Amino acid sequence: MSKIKEKLTKELIDFLQGERIISLITVDKETKKPTVSTISWLFAHESGEKIKFALGHKSSSIENIENDPYIVLNVVGPESCYEIKGTGNVSEIMQGTMKFRIVTVEIDSVEDVIFYGGKINAVPGYEKTYDAELANKIDHEIYSELKK
């Protein structure tokens, strides 16, 4: 049985500096049932006590978090799967090349949740399928805000 921690380890902090595929689990505002979305704009604070991530300003996850701020982040890697539970606080709408909002998560717990005898040997990757110059511009704007 894994030990539950109250904050991110140094290894997870280093891993969660953006450009990762992370599952965000919220409680749907309408159905009151868990729902999942995938995020990649995120930044773990060096204290290990907070994670910030960005979402489009009209994301249903924003409404869900405003209605019920308790969230779970599922992280695949390094070498395992982690459940990060916390409470999210949503920013006002920020205007850059696109409108977005930042969710600041105060971490309650971090748990290694890989099945017994399992070890992750490859971290999921992805590629952006829209204009590379536009993607770089948006990434720069969002990460500048996340790192504040």
Side-chain angles (χ1 to χ4, degrees):
M1 191 84 170
S2 67
K3 183 177 177 187
I4 298 174
K5 299 179 180 359
E6 292 181 1
K7 63 182 189 175
L8 301 171
T9 62
K10 173 77 168 109
E11 185 178 36
L12 272 173
I13 293 167
D14 291 345
F15 183 75
L16 296 173
Q17 296 302 308
E19 300 298 315
R20 300 290 182 195
I21 297 173
I22 306 296
S23 296
L24 166 65
I25 297 95
T26 60
V27 176
D28 185 272
K29 181 180 176 182
E30 306 289 320
T31 67
K32 307 297 184 213
K33 294 180 180 179
T35 187
V36 67
S37 59
T38 304
I39 62 174
S40 66
W41 286 315
L42 75 149
F43 181 78
H45 191 270
E46 64 187 27
S47 70
E49 297 171 351
K50 289 183 199 174
I51 293 176
K52 291 183 178 183
F53 61 86
L55 297 168
H57 76 289
K58 291 183 178 180
S59 166
S60 60
S61 294
I62 292 291
E63 288 184 8
N64 293 345
I65 295 166
E66 288 178 325
N67 187 62
D68 182 345
Y70 194 68
I71 63 145
V72 176
L73 298 170
N74 177 255
V75 177
V76 177
E79 296 191 350
S80 197
C81 293
Y82 303 89
E83 175 190 67
I84 302 168
K85 292 181 180 177
T87 305
N89 182 29
V90 180
S91 75
E92 295 300 318
I93 295 173
M94 300 183 156
Q95 179 65 57
T97 301
M98 64 173 267
K99 292 179 182 178
F100 63 96
R101 296 177 85 174
I102 291 177
V103 177
T104 302
V105 179
E106 298 288 337
I107 296 171
D108 295 328
S109 65
V110 180
E111 184 174 6
D112 183 330
V113 293
I114 191 80
F115 51 86
Y116 178 76
K119 179 179 175 182
I120 299 298
N121 60 14
V123 175
Y126 67 95
E127 64 182 65
K128 295 174 184 166
T129 58
Y130 60 101
D131 180 271
E133 190 175 313
L134 178 61
N136 286 336
K137 182 178 182 183
I138 292 170
D139 287 350
H140 176 74
E141 291 171 356
I142 289 176
Y143 281 109
S144 292
E145 290 296 327
L146 288 174
K147 293 177 181 180
K148 287 184 179 176

